[in-house]
Amino acid sequence: MNVGFVGLGIMGKPMAGHLIAGGHTLFLKTRREVPAELVAAGGTACATAKEVAEKSDVVITMVPDTPDVEAVLFGEDGIAEGLSAGKTVVDMSSISPIATKAFAEKIAARGAAYLDAPVSGGEVGAKNASLTIMVGGDEATFDKVKPLFELMGKNVTLVGPTGAGQSTKVANQIIVALTIGAVAEGLLFASKAGADPAKVRQALTGGLATSRILELHGERMIRRTFDPGFRIELHQKDLNLALEGAKSLGLALPATAVAQQLFSVCVANGGKAWDHSGLARALEIMSNHEIADAS
Amino acid sequence: MNVGFVGLGIMGKPMAGHLIAGGHTLFLKTRREVPAELVAAGGTACATAKEVAEKSDVVITMVPDTPDVEAVLFGEDGIAEGLSAGKTVVDMSSISPIATKAFAEKIAARGAAYLDAPVSGGEVGAKNASLTIMVGGDEATFDKVKPLFELMGKNVTLVGPTGAGQSTKVANQIIVALTIGAVAEGLLFASKAGADPAKVRQALTGGLATSRILELHGERMIRRTFDPGFRIELHQKDLNLALEGAKSLGLALPATAVAQQLFSVCVANGGKAWDHSGLARALEIMSNHEIADAS
């Protein structure tokens, strides 16, 4: 298949590499120069996103944020200018579910299909082709693109209509942030009350409190390793999508609002680049006690 | 070993049964009549908790709340009156970590040792002898009682000095409540934004958002099965221990405070006997949208 790929950063570069390795013909564009190894592997660098769209059946975008998607789709020499009927745009960035619906409508007006397909699993998942891919759109388009998704990820799910992929990614980021907060408040209480936090984590593992976060981020809180990982400033962007989305949908998300404020406590204390497990630092600063302290 | 067991309710009865089956000589007391099957199995019913303590080397208590422990320990004809040097009191109830420290001091004044050893795993864990047991106290006493714990549970951990077992149980209840809230806010957002919540749960399972709560309680939210399970009014009691404890320890637990308020929204809407997964109902009522609704 002729596949376009716009955005070849930490995530996009290995993802595009998997598509080339899977036998597809790739047309590439990114803000900087297209990585030489993708060209050496057989990919074609294009001058504009418009040119990528002209040469491709499916165009994938993987850029940082909502305005970036808008720019590569609808800016000058953007993807929309190179689209024609029967083509498909697949946005794998993590952006606003509400903006996504508007983008899909504008793409549909040009006769092209649109999927939103954000991922989780980070750089490691992108390199290992083990990403979780959450897809919104119609089933026929999903079935057409699914072979490409399966070259990049392991758990590929059509979760609903346009925007549902982005909404699921936001839900993922809500659950992850709030579970980090859950583990942090639990370990902080136990530590301050005199229990050994490492033994507490061990005692709770396997029971109802078990989570991937207790396992990974709980250990980071105990070992004091707050290097990213996933940066707090990025998780703040995601919770902002959650809280803005909740406002426009008419939903109350009180614990998400608290988690966002705790991330702000981190930022106020120099932590915007801490791993998101550093949310525990906010509670520690507020309570003047570290989880790893003897009480 | 001669083992006393005071409190033979839903949890205590099967736990005492495992000790009898393990070859120990049991002396029994409970508010109502001692269950006939425990006597038939070889246990001895006693008239008072004092008598239980007189006849036993280790006395276990398993009663509902802090005042109940205080009553069976220090009330008229209570355990304290029957203790002598070398005996051990093991409180397996879930009660205040702070009261626990005071109880242990009063028991120590009579020359006896004290362990706090609350459990998680519920009625099923009690019946299957698969409880998680979180123990506070000194190592020598723990080693002496460990063979009894291993007849009742699978994951037995000494987590710190006196009170640390209760603090760990509180930490467990904090993490469980807040993880329920995490899953509820995530699924509510995704549902209202148009994704299929069952597919969202499936897509997130296996990733960073994975937890036992997403698996079990997430499914209850989607299937609308809010029968206990673990009742909201009991979880409110546990979060009260967390928030009172945090106040006296000088800790801020903002997300725990929010979760307690959400449980109160449930109670205000007739939900004190709902399963704790019903915390999602509070968010649904506040937002006028059910997770299982099509958006």
Side-chain angles (χ1 to χ4, degrees):
Chain A
M1 201 185 290
N2 290 336
V3 182
F5 211 113
V6 178
L8 301 164
I10 289 172
M11 300 292 291
K13 182 180 154 190
M15 291 164 71
H18 295 311
L19 296 177
I20 295 173
H24 296 283
T25 305
L26 269 279
F27 299 93
L28 307 166
K29 174 78 177 84
T30 195
R31 271 191 298 190
R32 303 178 188 188
E33 202 169 345
V34 169
E37 60 195 275
L38 291 178
V39 176
T44 302
C46 297
T48 63
K50 174 183 173 185
E51 183 189 341
V52 169
E54 285 168 347
K55 293 181 171 166
S56 306
D57 305 307
V58 172
V59 187
I60 296 171
T61 51
M62 190 62 179
V63 295
D65 206 347
T66 308
D68 306 298
V69 174
E70 186 163 28
V72 298
L73 289 179
F74 305 111
E76 197 183 331
D77 287 329
I79 289 167
E81 293 182 16
L83 289 178
S84 51
K87 298 196 178 201
T88 301
V89 172
V90 182
D91 178 34
M92 302 189 75
S93 321
S94 291
I95 67 162
S96 160
I98 293 160
T100 289
K101 290 176 193 172
F103 295 166
E105 277 179 26
K106 286 176 74 174
I107 294 297
R110 294 174 177 263
Y114 189 100
L115 296 177
D116 51 302
V119 306
S120 70
E123 187 178 353
V124 171
K127 284 185 173 162
N128 298 343
S130 64
L131 294 167
T132 291
I133 306 178
M134 301 153 263
V135 189
D138 70 78
E139 195 147 0
T141 309
F142 174 72
D143 289 342
K144 179 176 136 191
V145 180
K146 200 175 176 191
L148 301 180
F149 290 143
E150 288 174 340
L151 290 169
M152 297 182 282
K154 275 191 176 146
N155 185 4
V156 180
T157 313
L158 179 66
V159 288
T162 299
Q166 296 296 353
S167 301
T168 302
K169 176 67 191 284
V170 171
N172 184 71
Q173 298 304 85
I174 290 172
I175 294 174
V176 168
L178 273 51
T179 308
I180 291 172
V183 169
E185 292 203 6
L187 291 182
L188 186 68
F189 180 91
S191 164
K192 179 71 180 182
D196 175 335
K199 288 184 180 161
V200 171
R201 175 175 161 280
Q202 176 194 329
L204 302 192
T205 298
L208 200 49
T210 292
S211 63
R212 188 67 50 83
I213 298 291
L214 177 64
E215 181 191 328
L216 298 176
H217 297 64
E219 183 158 35
R220 291 176 203 167
M221 293 172 201
I222 292 164
R223 289 177 181 261
R224 322 302 297 164
T225 51
F226 296 124
D227 298 329
F230 187 75
R231 292 201 306 281
I232 279 174
E233 62 186 331
L234 293 176
H235 215 142
Q236 282 213 292
K237 172 203 134 190
D238 293 332
L239 294 193
N240 196 42
L241 292 178
L243 294 168
E244 279 187 357
K247 182 164 178 291
S248 68
L249 293 165
L251 287 181
L253 300 179
T256 303
V258 167
Q260 183 74 312
Q261 296 306 310
L262 293 176
F263 280 141
S264 288
V265 172
C266 293
V267 172
N269 286 274
K272 74 178 181 181
W274 294 343
D275 179 65
H276 54 172
S277 59
L279 186 145
R281 287 287 300 128
L283 296 163
E284 292 176 341
I285 290 163
M286 291 159 65
S287 296
N288 191 28
H289 176 86
E290 288 192 3
I291 286 170
D293 284 346
S295 68
Chain B
M1 201 185 290
N2 290 336
V3 182
F5 211 113
V6 177
L8 301 164
I10 288 173
M11 299 294 290
K13 182 179 152 188
M15 290 164 72
H18 294 311
L19 296 177
I20 296 174
H24 296 283
T25 304
L26 270 279
F27 297 93
L28 307 167
K29 174 77 178 82
T30 195
R31 269 191 299 189
R32 303 177 189 189
E33 203 169 346
V34 169
E37 59 194 276
L38 290 178
V39 176
T44 301
C46 296
T48 64
K50 175 184 173 184
E51 184 189 340
V52 169
E54 285 169 347
K55 292 180 172 166
S56 306
D57 304 307
V58 172
V59 187
I60 296 172
T61 52
M62 191 62 179
V63 294
D65 205 348
T66 308
D68 306 298
V69 175
E70 185 162 29
V72 299
L73 288 179
F74 305 112
E76 197 183 331
D77 288 328
I79 288 166
E81 294 183 15
L83 289 177
S84 52
K87 297 196 178 200
T88 302
V89 172
V90 182
D91 179 34
M92 301 188 76
S93 322
S94 292
I95 67 163
S96 160
I98 293 159
T100 289
K101 290 177 193 171
F103 295 165
E105 277 179 26
K106 286 176 74 175
I107 295 295
R110 293 174 179 264
Y114 188 100
L115 296 178
D116 51 301
V119 305
S120 70
E123 188 178 351
V124 171
K127 284 184 174 161
N128 298 343
S130 64
L131 293 168
T132 292
I133 306 179
M134 301 153 261
V135 189
D138 69 78
E139 195 146 0
T141 309
F142 175 72
D143 289 341
K144 179 176 135 190
V145 180
K146 200 176 176 191
L148 302 179
F149 291 143
E150 288 175 340
L151 290 169
M152 298 182 282
K154 276 191 177 147
N155 185 3
V156 180
T157 313
L158 179 66
V159 288
T162 299
Q166 296 296 352
S167 301
T168 302
K169 177 67 191 283
V170 170
N172 185 72
Q173 298 303 86
I174 289 172
I175 294 174
V176 168
L178 272 52
T179 308
I180 290 172
V183 169
E185 292 202 8
L187 292 182
L188 186 69
F189 180 90
S191 164
K192 179 72 180 181
D196 176 334
K199 287 182 181 162
V200 171
R201 176 175 159 281
Q202 177 195 327
L204 300 192
T205 297
L208 201 47
T210 291
S211 63
R212 187 69 50 84
I213 298 292
L214 177 65
E215 181 191 329
L216 298 176
H217 297 64
E219 183 158 37
R220 292 176 201 166
M221 294 172 200
I222 291 163
R223 289 178 181 261
R224 320 303 296 164
T225 51
F226 295 125
D227 299 328
F230 187 76
R231 292 200 305 282
I232 280 174
E233 60 185 332
L234 293 177
H235 216 142
Q236 281 212 293
K237 172 203 135 189
D238 294 332
L239 293 194
N240 196 43
L241 292 178
L243 294 168
E244 280 187 357
K247 182 166 177 291
S248 68
L249 293 165
L251 287 180
L253 300 179
T256 302
V258 167
Q260 182 75 311
Q261 297 306 309
L262 293 176
F263 279 141
S264 289
V265 172
C266 293
V267 171
N269 286 275
K272 75 178 180 181
W274 293 342
D275 179 66
H276 54 172
S277 59
L279 186 146
R281 287 286 299 130
L283 296 163
E284 292 176 341
I285 290 164
M286 289 159 65
S287 296
N288 191 27
H289 175 85
E290 288 193 2
I291 286 170
D293 285 345
S295 70

